[in-house]
Amino acid sequence: MSPPERHRFAARVLDWGPPTEIARELEATESDPEGVGIMVRKARIYPVRVEEVALKAAPLLKQELLAVGGDAAHARGIADHSVASSPTVLLATWGQYQHLLPKLRRQPFGLRQVADEVERALRAYAGRGATHFVGAHRTLPLGARPSVLGVVNITPDSFSDGGRFLEPSAAIARAEVLVSEGADALDLGAESTRPGATPVSPDAEWRRLEPIVGAVVGRVMVPVSVDTRHAEVARRAVDAGADVVNDVEGLRDEAMRAVVARTGAGVIVMHMRGTPATMQQETASPDVRRDVYRALAALTDRAVDAGVDAAKIAVDPGLGFGKTAEQSLELLAHVGEFRSLGYPVVLGASRKSFLGWATGADEPAARVDAGVAAAVYAADRGVAVVRTHDVAPTVQALRLWERIETARRRLPESREARAATDGEL
Ligand code: HH2
């Protein structure tokens, strides 16, 4: 059937994702393979934000970007010298960055460091990312879909399931159920960190965990993390066989940094403002993404300086921890940005109150579907691990996502196009 006149050329915006898919779409025009290799690098703009570019540096940066065919946005006050510095958003394709970065490295006023940081962020964001999250004893392979970290709360007062698994036999049985439902790792927690929760002493926390860590490690094959803010609890848990320390205080404590470095545990560095007792009074922030990003950069740098192996670090923006519901939603919306830090990203949205705020589901147990939707969204943004109370529905949803993503990541035919998508830039 001949096409109708209005649609003679069937103009269609291509909804493409990863560079592999871009390359295959270009190949499908039967374009010259070498041309496909060149065009892949032109097919997407990577916007990169840098903070506090000095007054003298900002115009130079914009000029260099314009010279390679990109652009840069900065404060109007740069032109009339009414500001001392400005955040700047760089706009360029990967091909344009390849021309830009060597030029920037020859410029003064901090632009060499801008170039280094931009390149590092781009490679971390657009690269394939870590293939494994290595723990003290066991390793979590990071595959085509996010790994699912199943939550076992051995607490009387957790916000969604407090008291259900306080008995060791119930907690151990819960761990086994979650693994049978497809959990790729388990997170054992013995202190609630919900807003305003009563703090638990390290001794009391360990009394809850002790009968469970060894038993769970002995019964399941998957890596086990322990959700604790206390260095002594972390040390004992890793000695008892736990693989990862999940620290909601992001290794702020020097003793915790030392334990993680010494035991060789994997670590989830999570962002929280204040403590669980105070965090909801500390939510003011004009730019939550910038603040959380900078804080995680500082926390991870400090951990590496203290001897923690960078290959064993994952980061987590900490939804709900010292954030308003709007801020948690904003962090979820832009969670992919955190990949620029160069560590696998962990995200815990499961049953949290911002999901209730967004959907009207008042009870935590009524937020399962919203949590699954958040996990799928996070998968699409390149999150490596999702932490959830609801393993079975999350695994099912992510299996579908994985099938879709695998199709998008099928390699292009030609050697030239494959080379262009290598490193995923
Ligand atoms: N959320 C909670 C606890 N620990 N750890 C990480 N890395 N990320 C999170 O988002 C996160 C976390 C809160 O959930 P839950 O453990 O179910 O609640 P409670 O702290 O009340 O036990």
Side-chain angles (χ1 to χ4, degrees):
M1 199 170 75
S2 64
E5 202 46 36
R6 275 191 70 219
H7 287 111
R8 197 150 69 88
F9 294 101
R12 158 168 68 108
V13 179
L14 293 174
D15 180 25
W16 60 28
T20 46
E21 192 176 35
I22 295 174
R24 281 190 295 105
E25 291 281 2
L26 297 175
E27 270 183 346
T29 65
E30 297 184 10
S31 183
D32 177 63
E34 210 161 306
V36 170
I38 293 166
M39 284 182 283
V40 170
R41 298 187 175 96
K42 294 184 174 177
R44 168 179 291 165
I45 286 184
Y46 292 93
V48 181
R49 181 176 157 124
V50 289
E51 307 295 337
E52 293 176 29
V53 176
L55 176 61
K56 284 183 177 168
L60 263 178
L61 184 54
K62 186 170 173 89
Q63 193 183 312
E64 293 289 13
L65 270 149
L66 287 169
V68 297
D71 209 335
H74 57 220
R76 273 194 309 251
I78 293 290
D80 63 9
H81 292 204
S82 61
V83 294
S85 69
S86 170
T88 302
V89 176
L90 285 61
L91 297 167
T93 64
W94 177 239
Q96 290 165 345
Y97 279 115
Q98 285 180 319
H99 288 114
L100 173 79
L101 295 173
K103 290 167 88 181
L104 276 191
R105 290 198 169 96
R106 293 196 292 272
Q107 298 288 4
F109 315 130
L111 288 173
R112 164 187 271 278
Q113 182 165 350
V114 168
D116 289 347
E117 288 195 31
V118 166
E119 178 160 15
R120 216 167 48 226
L122 276 168
R123 290 196 183 282
Y125 174 87
R128 280 181 222 281
T131 54
H132 292 87
F133 183 36
V134 182
H137 315 282
R138 301 174 191 189
T139 289
L140 177 66
L142 301 174
R145 67 162 171 83
S147 300
V148 173
L149 179 63
V151 179
V152 182
N153 280 324
I154 309 136
T155 57
D157 55 347
S158 284
F159 78 96
S160 80
D161 54 4
R164 285 186 61 200
F165 310 110
L166 193 54
E167 275 299 309
S169 58
I172 294 162
R174 177 69 176 164
E176 289 183 300
V177 166
L178 295 185
V179 172
S180 72
E181 289 179 353
D184 302 293
L186 294 172
D187 190 33
L188 311 180
E191 180 192 36
S192 172
T193 46
R194 73 184 157 73
T198 322
V200 175
S201 74
D203 279 344
E205 190 184 350
W206 181 243
R207 273 198 299 281
R208 287 179 189 164
L209 280 170
E210 188 175 14
I212 293 161
V213 176
V216 167
V217 167
R219 280 177 167 80
V220 303
M221 302 290 281
V222 301
V224 171
S225 87
V226 170
D227 186 343
T228 183
R229 306 185 282 146
H230 299 126
E232 188 50 25
V233 174
R235 186 191 62 75
R236 290 177 174 185
V238 177
D239 283 352
D243 302 286
V244 172
V245 176
N246 174 21
D247 181 8
V248 297
E249 293 193 349
L251 301 191
R252 266 185 244 163
D253 177 16
E254 193 184 334
M256 186 64 117
R257 293 197 290 279
V259 164
V260 170
R262 203 171 53 240
T263 58
V267 62
I268 301 173
V269 174
M270 199 199 79
H271 175 270
M272 167 168 59
R273 289 204 194 91
T275 65
T278 63
M279 64 189 182
Q280 289 314 106
Q281 285 110 55
E282 297 189 35
T283 57
S285 164
D287 185 339
V288 70
R289 282 151 56 202
R290 181 197 60 196
D291 292 353
V292 173
Y293 191 87
R294 283 185 140 178
L296 285 175
L299 289 165
T300 49
D301 282 352
R302 203 154 54 156
V304 171
D305 289 346
V308 175
D309 182 351
K312 296 188 168 186
I313 295 176
V315 291
D316 183 336
L319 301 182
F321 284 85
K323 286 114 190 160
T324 62
E326 287 98 327
Q327 289 171 346
S328 289
L329 201 69
E330 184 170 345
L331 289 168
L332 170 62
H334 299 278
V335 66
E337 293 178 355
F338 291 93
R339 297 199 334 256
S340 319
L341 285 167
Y343 301 104
V345 178
V346 178
L347 197 74
S350 169
R351 301 193 185 188
K352 284 191 175 159
S353 62
F354 82 95
L355 298 177
W357 168 85
T359 63
D362 289 336
E363 287 304 310
R367 300 175 191 148
V368 175
D369 297 355
V372 171
V376 173
Y377 182 86
D380 225 43
R381 285 8 234 188
V383 163
V385 179
V386 293
R387 181 183 182 276
T388 182
H389 306 83
D390 304 298
V391 168
T394 304
V395 167
Q396 187 186 60
L398 290 178
R399 281 192 181 137
L400 170 64
W401 181 86
E402 181 181 354
R403 292 301 279 256
I404 296 168
E405 190 63 11
T406 304
R408 297 196 118 170
R409 288 189 183 273
R410 239 182 29 251
L411 289 173
E413 298 282 327
S414 74
R415 195 168 39 79
E416 291 86 346
R418 283 180 192 218
T421 58
D422 228 21
E424 302 266 304
L425 284 167

mmCIF file with all atom_site columns, all heavy atoms in Angstrom, residues 62-71 91-93 95-101 103:
data_model
loop_
_atom_site.group_PDB
_atom_site.id
_atom_site.type_symbol
_atom_site.label_atom_id
_atom_site.label_alt_id
_atom_site.label_comp_id
_atom_site.label_asym_id
_atom_site.label_entity_id
_atom_site.label_seq_id
_atom_site.pdbx_PDB_ins_code
_atom_site.Cartn_x
_atom_site.Cartn_y
_atom_site.Cartn_z
_atom_site.occupancy
_atom_site.B_iso_or_equiv
_atom_site.pdbx_formal_charge
_atom_site.auth_seq_id
_atom_site.auth_comp_id
_atom_site.auth_asym_id
_atom_site.auth_atom_id
_atom_site.pdbx_PDB_model_num
ATOM 1   N N   . LYS A 1 62  ? 33.419 29.024 27.941 1.00 0.00 ? 62  LYS A N   1
ATOM 2   C CA  . LYS A 1 62  ? 32.344 29.149 26.942 1.00 0.00 ? 62  LYS A CA  1
ATOM 3   C C   . LYS A 1 62  ? 32.927 29.292 25.539 1.00 0.00 ? 62  LYS A C   1
ATOM 4   O O   . LYS A 1 62  ? 32.469 28.660 24.585 1.00 0.00 ? 62  LYS A O   1
ATOM 5   C CB  . LYS A 1 62  ? 31.450 30.344 27.287 1.00 0.00 ? 62  LYS A CB  1
ATOM 6   C CG  . LYS A 1 62  ? 30.225 30.452 26.372 1.00 0.00 ? 62  LYS A CG  1
ATOM 7   C CD  . LYS A 1 62  ? 29.241 31.473 26.885 1.00 0.00 ? 62  LYS A CD  1
ATOM 8   C CE  . LYS A 1 62  ? 28.118 31.719 25.904 1.00 0.00 ? 62  LYS A CE  1
ATOM 9   N NZ  . LYS A 1 62  ? 26.974 30.832 26.083 1.00 0.00 ? 62  LYS A NZ  1
ATOM 10  N N   . GLN A 1 63  ? 33.971 30.121 25.439 1.00 0.00 ? 63  GLN A N   1
ATOM 11  C CA  . GLN A 1 63  ? 34.609 30.339 24.137 1.00 0.00 ? 63  GLN A CA  1
ATOM 12  C C   . GLN A 1 63  ? 35.152 29.030 23.557 1.00 0.00 ? 63  GLN A C   1
ATOM 13  O O   . GLN A 1 63  ? 34.974 28.741 22.378 1.00 0.00 ? 63  GLN A O   1
ATOM 14  C CB  . GLN A 1 63  ? 35.751 31.317 24.394 1.00 0.00 ? 63  GLN A CB  1
ATOM 15  C CG  . GLN A 1 63  ? 36.379 31.945 23.204 1.00 0.00 ? 63  GLN A CG  1
ATOM 16  C CD  . GLN A 1 63  ? 37.536 32.819 23.693 1.00 0.00 ? 63  GLN A CD  1
ATOM 17  O OE1 . GLN A 1 63  ? 37.389 33.621 24.632 1.00 0.00 ? 63  GLN A OE1 1
ATOM 18  N NE2 . GLN A 1 63  ? 38.690 32.641 23.097 1.00 0.00 ? 63  GLN A NE2 1
ATOM 19  N N   . GLU A 1 64  ? 35.812 28.243 24.407 1.00 0.00 ? 64  GLU A N   1
ATOM 20  C CA  . GLU A 1 64  ? 36.379 26.976 23.920 1.00 0.00 ? 64  GLU A CA  1
ATOM 21  C C   . GLU A 1 64  ? 35.273 26.017 23.489 1.00 0.00 ? 64  GLU A C   1
ATOM 22  O O   . GLU A 1 64  ? 35.416 25.288 22.513 1.00 0.00 ? 64  GLU A O   1
ATOM 23  C CB  . GLU A 1 64  ? 37.242 26.313 24.999 1.00 0.00 ? 64  GLU A CB  1
ATOM 24  C CG  . GLU A 1 64  ? 38.512 27.072 25.362 1.00 0.00 ? 64  GLU A CG  1
ATOM 25  C CD  . GLU A 1 64  ? 39.567 27.036 24.265 1.00 0.00 ? 64  GLU A CD  1
ATOM 26  O OE1 . GLU A 1 64  ? 39.264 26.645 23.126 1.00 0.00 ? 64  GLU A OE1 1
ATOM 27  O OE2 . GLU A 1 64  ? 40.721 27.432 24.545 1.00 0.00 ? 64  GLU A OE2 1
ATOM 28  N N   . LEU A 1 65  ? 34.164 26.024 24.220 1.00 0.00 ? 65  LEU A N   1
ATOM 29  C CA  . LEU A 1 65  ? 33.054 25.146 23.831 1.00 0.00 ? 65  LEU A CA  1
ATOM 30  C C   . LEU A 1 65  ? 32.447 25.592 22.515 1.00 0.00 ? 65  LEU A C   1
ATOM 31  O O   . LEU A 1 65  ? 32.156 24.774 21.632 1.00 0.00 ? 65  LEU A O   1
ATOM 32  C CB  . LEU A 1 65  ? 31.997 25.093 24.939 1.00 0.00 ? 65  LEU A CB  1
ATOM 33  C CG  . LEU A 1 65  ? 32.289 23.958 25.923 1.00 0.00 ? 65  LEU A CG  1
ATOM 34  C CD1 . LEU A 1 65  ? 31.815 24.286 27.317 1.00 0.00 ? 65  LEU A CD1 1
ATOM 35  C CD2 . LEU A 1 65  ? 31.671 22.652 25.440 1.00 0.00 ? 65  LEU A CD2 1
ATOM 36  N N   . LEU A 1 66  ? 32.242 26.907 22.372 1.00 0.00 ? 66  LEU A N   1
ATOM 37  C CA  . LEU A 1 66  ? 31.675 27.416 21.120 1.00 0.00 ? 66  LEU A CA  1
ATOM 38  C C   . LEU A 1 66  ? 32.599 27.053 19.951 1.00 0.00 ? 66  LEU A C   1
ATOM 39  O O   . LEU A 1 66  ? 32.133 26.697 18.872 1.00 0.00 ? 66  LEU A O   1
ATOM 40  C CB  . LEU A 1 66  ? 31.480 28.935 21.198 1.00 0.00 ? 66  LEU A CB  1
ATOM 41  C CG  . LEU A 1 66  ? 30.320 29.395 22.084 1.00 0.00 ? 66  LEU A CG  1
ATOM 42  C CD1 . LEU A 1 66  ? 30.381 30.909 22.310 1.00 0.00 ? 66  LEU A CD1 1
ATOM 43  C CD2 . LEU A 1 66  ? 28.967 29.015 21.473 1.00 0.00 ? 66  LEU A CD2 1
ATOM 44  N N   . ALA A 1 67  ? 33.917 27.104 20.197 1.00 0.00 ? 67  ALA A N   1
ATOM 45  C CA  . ALA A 1 67  ? 34.871 26.815 19.131 1.00 0.00 ? 67  ALA A CA  1
ATOM 46  C C   . ALA A 1 67  ? 34.776 25.369 18.635 1.00 0.00 ? 67  ALA A C   1
ATOM 47  O O   . ALA A 1 67  ? 35.095 25.093 17.479 1.00 0.00 ? 67  ALA A O   1
ATOM 48  C CB  . ALA A 1 67  ? 36.293 27.116 19.607 1.00 0.00 ? 67  ALA A CB  1
ATOM 49  N N   . VAL A 1 68  ? 34.344 24.445 19.500 1.00 0.00 ? 68  VAL A N   1
ATOM 50  C CA  . VAL A 1 68  ? 34.223 23.047 19.037 1.00 0.00 ? 68  VAL A CA  1
ATOM 51  C C   . VAL A 1 68  ? 32.781 22.736 18.624 1.00 0.00 ? 68  VAL A C   1
ATOM 52  O O   . VAL A 1 68  ? 32.456 21.582 18.333 1.00 0.00 ? 68  VAL A O   1
ATOM 53  C CB  . VAL A 1 68  ? 34.698 22.031 20.111 1.00 0.00 ? 68  VAL A CB  1
ATOM 54  C CG1 . VAL A 1 68  ? 36.173 22.205 20.417 1.00 0.00 ? 68  VAL A CG1 1
ATOM 55  C CG2 . VAL A 1 68  ? 33.849 22.110 21.380 1.00 0.00 ? 68  VAL A CG2 1
ATOM 56  N N   . GLY A 1 69  ? 31.908 23.742 18.639 1.00 0.00 ? 69  GLY A N   1
ATOM 57  C CA  . GLY A 1 69  ? 30.525 23.508 18.202 1.00 0.00 ? 69  GLY A CA  1
ATOM 58  C C   . GLY A 1 69  ? 29.573 23.206 19.336 1.00 0.00 ? 69  GLY A C   1
ATOM 59  O O   . GLY A 1 69  ? 28.415 22.879 19.104 1.00 0.00 ? 69  GLY A O   1
ATOM 60  N N   . GLY A 1 70  ? 30.060 23.299 20.591 1.00 0.00 ? 70  GLY A N   1
ATOM 61  C CA  . GLY A 1 70  ? 29.176 23.107 21.744 1.00 0.00 ? 70  GLY A CA  1
ATOM 62  C C   . GLY A 1 70  ? 28.736 24.447 22.299 1.00 0.00 ? 70  GLY A C   1
ATOM 63  O O   . GLY A 1 70  ? 28.743 25.463 21.586 1.00 0.00 ? 70  GLY A O   1
ATOM 64  N N   . ASP A 1 71  ? 28.389 24.466 23.566 1.00 0.00 ? 71  ASP A N   1
ATOM 65  C CA  . ASP A 1 71  ? 28.036 25.739 24.218 1.00 0.00 ? 71  ASP A CA  1
ATOM 66  C C   . ASP A 1 71  ? 28.158 25.544 25.728 1.00 0.00 ? 71  ASP A C   1
ATOM 67  O O   . ASP A 1 71  ? 28.360 24.416 26.205 1.00 0.00 ? 71  ASP A O   1
ATOM 68  C CB  . ASP A 1 71  ? 26.619 26.176 23.833 1.00 0.00 ? 71  ASP A CB  1
ATOM 69  C CG  . ASP A 1 71  ? 26.446 27.700 23.862 1.00 0.00 ? 71  ASP A CG  1
ATOM 70  O OD1 . ASP A 1 71  ? 27.208 28.379 24.606 1.00 0.00 ? 71  ASP A OD1 1
ATOM 71  O OD2 . ASP A 1 71  ? 25.564 28.217 23.158 1.00 0.00 ? 71  ASP A OD2 1
ATOM 72  N N   . LEU A 1 91  ? 27.776 21.897 27.305 1.00 0.00 ? 91  LEU A N   1
ATOM 73  C CA  . LEU A 1 91  ? 26.941 21.153 26.355 1.00 0.00 ? 91  LEU A CA  1
ATOM 74  C C   . LEU A 1 91  ? 27.801 20.741 25.176 1.00 0.00 ? 91  LEU A C   1
ATOM 75  O O   . LEU A 1 91  ? 28.270 21.608 24.426 1.00 0.00 ? 91  LEU A O   1
ATOM 76  C CB  . LEU A 1 91  ? 25.798 22.044 25.854 1.00 0.00 ? 91  LEU A CB  1
ATOM 77  C CG  . LEU A 1 91  ? 24.793 22.522 26.894 1.00 0.00 ? 91  LEU A CG  1
ATOM 78  C CD1 . LEU A 1 91  ? 23.924 23.626 26.324 1.00 0.00 ? 91  LEU A CD1 1
ATOM 79  C CD2 . LEU A 1 91  ? 23.932 21.351 27.354 1.00 0.00 ? 91  LEU A CD2 1
ATOM 80  N N   . ALA A 1 92  ? 28.021 19.448 25.038 1.00 0.00 ? 92  ALA A N   1
ATOM 81  C CA  . ALA A 1 92  ? 28.834 18.987 23.909 1.00 0.00 ? 92  ALA A CA  1
ATOM 82  C C   . ALA A 1 92  ? 28.569 17.512 23.662 1.00 0.00 ? 92  ALA A C   1
ATOM 83  O O   . ALA A 1 92  ? 28.130 16.797 24.558 1.00 0.00 ? 92  ALA A O   1
ATOM 84  C CB  . ALA A 1 92  ? 30.322 19.207 24.202 1.00 0.00 ? 92  ALA A CB  1
ATOM 85  N N   . THR A 1 93  ? 28.849 17.093 22.449 1.00 0.00 ? 93  THR A N   1
ATOM 86  C CA  . THR A 1 93  ? 28.805 15.664 22.137 1.00 0.00 ? 93  THR A CA  1
ATOM 87  C C   . THR A 1 93  ? 30.123 15.042 22.590 1.00 0.00 ? 93  THR A C   1
ATOM 88  O O   . THR A 1 93  ? 31.096 15.765 22.867 1.00 0.00 ? 93  THR A O   1
ATOM 89  C CB  . THR A 1 93  ? 28.663 15.435 20.622 1.00 0.00 ? 93  THR A CB  1
ATOM 90  O OG1 . THR A 1 93  ? 29.845 15.946 19.997 1.00 0.00 ? 93  THR A OG1 1
ATOM 91  C CG2 . THR A 1 93  ? 27.427 16.131 20.070 1.00 0.00 ? 93  THR A CG2 1
ATOM 92  N N   . GLY A 1 95  ? 32.248 13.526 20.765 1.00 0.00 ? 95  GLY A N   1
ATOM 93  C CA  . GLY A 1 95  ? 33.254 13.936 19.782 1.00 0.00 ? 95  GLY A CA  1
ATOM 94  C C   . GLY A 1 95  ? 33.775 15.335 20.084 1.00 0.00 ? 95  GLY A C   1
ATOM 95  O O   . GLY A 1 95  ? 34.980 15.595 19.997 1.00 0.00 ? 95  GLY A O   1
ATOM 96  N N   . GLN A 1 96  ? 32.855 16.245 20.458 1.00 0.00 ? 96  GLN A N   1
ATOM 97  C CA  . GLN A 1 96  ? 33.283 17.615 20.778 1.00 0.00 ? 96  GLN A CA  1
ATOM 98  C C   . GLN A 1 96  ? 34.124 17.659 22.058 1.00 0.00 ? 96  GLN A C   1
ATOM 99  O O   . GLN A 1 96  ? 35.099 18.404 22.139 1.00 0.00 ? 96  GLN A O   1
ATOM 100 C CB  . GLN A 1 96  ? 32.055 18.527 20.896 1.00 0.00 ? 96  GLN A CB  1
ATOM 101 C CG  . GLN A 1 96  ? 31.391 18.770 19.545 1.00 0.00 ? 96  GLN A CG  1
ATOM 102 C CD  . GLN A 1 96  ? 29.994 19.353 19.657 1.00 0.00 ? 96  GLN A CD  1
ATOM 103 O OE1 . GLN A 1 96  ? 29.373 19.342 20.716 1.00 0.00 ? 96  GLN A OE1 1
ATOM 104 N NE2 . GLN A 1 96  ? 29.486 19.851 18.539 1.00 0.00 ? 96  GLN A NE2 1
ATOM 105 N N   . TYR A 1 97  ? 33.759 16.850 23.042 1.00 0.00 ? 97  TYR A N   1
ATOM 106 C CA  . TYR A 1 97  ? 34.593 16.803 24.262 1.00 0.00 ? 97  TYR A CA  1
ATOM 107 C C   . TYR A 1 97  ? 36.012 16.337 23.914 1.00 0.00 ? 97  TYR A C   1
ATOM 108 O O   . TYR A 1 97  ? 36.986 16.787 24.507 1.00 0.00 ? 97  TYR A O   1
ATOM 109 C CB  . TYR A 1 97  ? 33.989 15.869 25.312 1.00 0.00 ? 97  TYR A CB  1
ATOM 110 C CG  . TYR A 1 97  ? 32.870 16.508 26.115 1.00 0.00 ? 97  TYR A CG  1
ATOM 111 C CD1 . TYR A 1 97  ? 31.570 16.030 26.033 1.00 0.00 ? 97  TYR A CD1 1
ATOM 112 C CD2 . TYR A 1 97  ? 33.116 17.585 26.965 1.00 0.00 ? 97  TYR A CD2 1
ATOM 113 C CE1 . TYR A 1 97  ? 30.530 16.605 26.762 1.00 0.00 ? 97  TYR A CE1 1
ATOM 114 C CE2 . TYR A 1 97  ? 32.101 18.175 27.694 1.00 0.00 ? 97  TYR A CE2 1
ATOM 115 C CZ  . TYR A 1 97  ? 30.810 17.686 27.594 1.00 0.00 ? 97  TYR A CZ  1
ATOM 116 O OH  . TYR A 1 97  ? 29.806 18.273 28.312 1.00 0.00 ? 97  TYR A OH  1
ATOM 117 N N   . GLN A 1 98  ? 36.115 15.408 22.964 1.00 0.00 ? 98  GLN A N   1
ATOM 118 C CA  . GLN A 1 98  ? 37.457 14.923 22.610 1.00 0.00 ? 98  GLN A CA  1
ATOM 119 C C   . GLN A 1 98  ? 38.340 16.047 22.078 1.00 0.00 ? 98  GLN A C   1
ATOM 120 O O   . GLN A 1 98  ? 39.539 16.040 22.260 1.00 0.00 ? 98  GLN A O   1
ATOM 121 C CB  . GLN A 1 98  ? 37.355 13.784 21.593 1.00 0.00 ? 98  GLN A CB  1
ATOM 122 C CG  . GLN A 1 98  ? 36.905 12.491 22.254 1.00 0.00 ? 98  GLN A CG  1
ATOM 123 C CD  . GLN A 1 98  ? 36.802 11.353 21.263 1.00 0.00 ? 98  GLN A CD  1
ATOM 124 O OE1 . GLN A 1 98  ? 36.334 11.537 20.148 1.00 0.00 ? 98  GLN A OE1 1
ATOM 125 N NE2 . GLN A 1 98  ? 37.239 10.179 21.672 1.00 0.00 ? 98  GLN A NE2 1
ATOM 126 N N   . HIS A 1 99  ? 37.730 17.010 21.401 1.00 0.00 ? 99  HIS A N   1
ATOM 127 C CA  . HIS A 1 99  ? 38.511 18.169 20.940 1.00 0.00 ? 99  HIS A CA  1
ATOM 128 C C   . HIS A 1 99  ? 38.723 19.181 22.061 1.00 0.00 ? 99  HIS A C   1
ATOM 129 O O   . HIS A 1 99  ? 39.755 19.814 22.165 1.00 0.00 ? 99  HIS A O   1
ATOM 130 C CB  . HIS A 1 99  ? 37.793 18.849 19.764 1.00 0.00 ? 99  HIS A CB  1
ATOM 131 C CG  . HIS A 1 99  ? 37.856 18.041 18.515 1.00 0.00 ? 99  HIS A CG  1
ATOM 132 N ND1 . HIS A 1 99  ? 36.749 17.476 17.918 1.00 0.00 ? 99  HIS A ND1 1
ATOM 133 C CD2 . HIS A 1 99  ? 38.914 17.667 17.770 1.00 0.00 ? 99  HIS A CD2 1
ATOM 134 C CE1 . HIS A 1 99  ? 37.131 16.808 16.854 1.00 0.00 ? 99  HIS A CE1 1
ATOM 135 N NE2 . HIS A 1 99  ? 38.431 16.891 16.742 1.00 0.00 ? 99  HIS A NE2 1
ATOM 136 N N   . LEU A 1 100 ? 37.694 19.320 22.890 1.00 0.00 ? 100 LEU A N   1
ATOM 137 C CA  . LEU A 1 100 ? 37.709 20.369 23.919 1.00 0.00 ? 100 LEU A CA  1
ATOM 138 C C   . LEU A 1 100 ? 38.735 20.103 25.030 1.00 0.00 ? 100 LEU A C   1
ATOM 139 O O   . LEU A 1 100 ? 39.490 21.001 25.422 1.00 0.00 ? 100 LEU A O   1
ATOM 140 C CB  . LEU A 1 100 ? 36.309 20.473 24.550 1.00 0.00 ? 100 LEU A CB  1
ATOM 141 C CG  . LEU A 1 100 ? 36.201 21.402 25.755 1.00 0.00 ? 100 LEU A CG  1
ATOM 142 C CD1 . LEU A 1 100 ? 36.115 22.855 25.282 1.00 0.00 ? 100 LEU A CD1 1
ATOM 143 C CD2 . LEU A 1 100 ? 34.988 21.056 26.618 1.00 0.00 ? 100 LEU A CD2 1
ATOM 144 N N   . LEU A 1 101 ? 38.749 18.856 25.537 1.00 0.00 ? 101 LEU A N   1
ATOM 145 C CA  . LEU A 1 101 ? 39.482 18.602 26.777 1.00 0.00 ? 101 LEU A CA  1
ATOM 146 C C   . LEU A 1 101 ? 40.981 18.908 26.664 1.00 0.00 ? 101 LEU A C   1
ATOM 147 O O   . LEU A 1 101 ? 41.538 19.579 27.535 1.00 0.00 ? 101 LEU A O   1
ATOM 148 C CB  . LEU A 1 101 ? 39.207 17.178 27.278 1.00 0.00 ? 101 LEU A CB  1
ATOM 149 C CG  . LEU A 1 101 ? 37.730 16.943 27.680 1.00 0.00 ? 101 LEU A CG  1
ATOM 150 C CD1 . LEU A 1 101 ? 37.476 15.471 27.999 1.00 0.00 ? 101 LEU A CD1 1
ATOM 151 C CD2 . LEU A 1 101 ? 37.310 17.818 28.851 1.00 0.00 ? 101 LEU A CD2 1
ATOM 152 N N   . LYS A 1 103 ? 42.366 21.064 24.799 1.00 0.00 ? 103 LYS A N   1
ATOM 153 C CA  . LYS A 1 103 ? 42.523 22.530 24.739 1.00 0.00 ? 103 LYS A CA  1
ATOM 154 C C   . LYS A 1 103 ? 42.358 23.149 26.128 1.00 0.00 ? 103 LYS A C   1
ATOM 155 O O   . LYS A 1 103 ? 43.114 24.039 26.513 1.00 0.00 ? 103 LYS A O   1
ATOM 156 C CB  . LYS A 1 103 ? 41.498 23.131 23.766 1.00 0.00 ? 103 LYS A CB  1
ATOM 157 C CG  . LYS A 1 103 ? 41.807 22.797 22.315 1.00 0.00 ? 103 LYS A CG  1
ATOM 158 C CD  . LYS A 1 103 ? 40.661 23.113 21.402 1.00 0.00 ? 103 LYS A CD  1
ATOM 159 C CE  . LYS A 1 103 ? 40.676 24.535 20.889 1.00 0.00 ? 103 LYS A CE  1
ATOM 160 N NZ  . LYS A 1 103 ? 39.506 24.802 20.017 1.00 0.00 ? 103 LYS A NZ  1
#
